[in-house]
Amino acid sequence: ELLGENEPLDIHVTEYQLHTGPRPRITIERARASREWLNAALQQFVIGRTFPIPAKAEPLIRFLG
């Protein structure tokens, strides 16, 4: 929980792309959140950007793909 928030925050990733290979990555294409300020942050810092997938999470790629 965040300070000042009375209820949990929800984030839903509705579209993404997995990039496999020697350096697996994920690109978040669409996502929404339960708060407008968080939706703005998702638009600015997350949606359309590609992030590396940690080595510990690589086995999950087969499940998500």
Side-chain angles (χ1 to χ4, degrees), residues 1-57:
E1 291 184 21
L2 291 175
L3 185 61
E5 291 287 343
N6 296 328
E7 297 179 22
L9 301 172
D10 293 319
I11 299 174
H12 300 275
V13 176
T14 56
E15 189 176 330
Y16 60 90
Q17 284 187 12
L18 289 174
H19 310 277
T20 58
R23 292 174 38 220
R25 301 165 324 240
I26 187 169
T27 302
I28 306 300
E29 300 290 339
R30 298 178 101 189
R32 67 181 192 282
S34 59
R35 302 289 191 284
E36 283 304 313
W37 65 266
L38 190 50
N39 278 320
L42 286 171
Q43 287 293 325
Q44 186 171 356
F45 300 111
V46 177
I47 294 174
R49 295 195 182 197
T50 301
F51 301 93
I53 295 175
K56 289 181 180 182

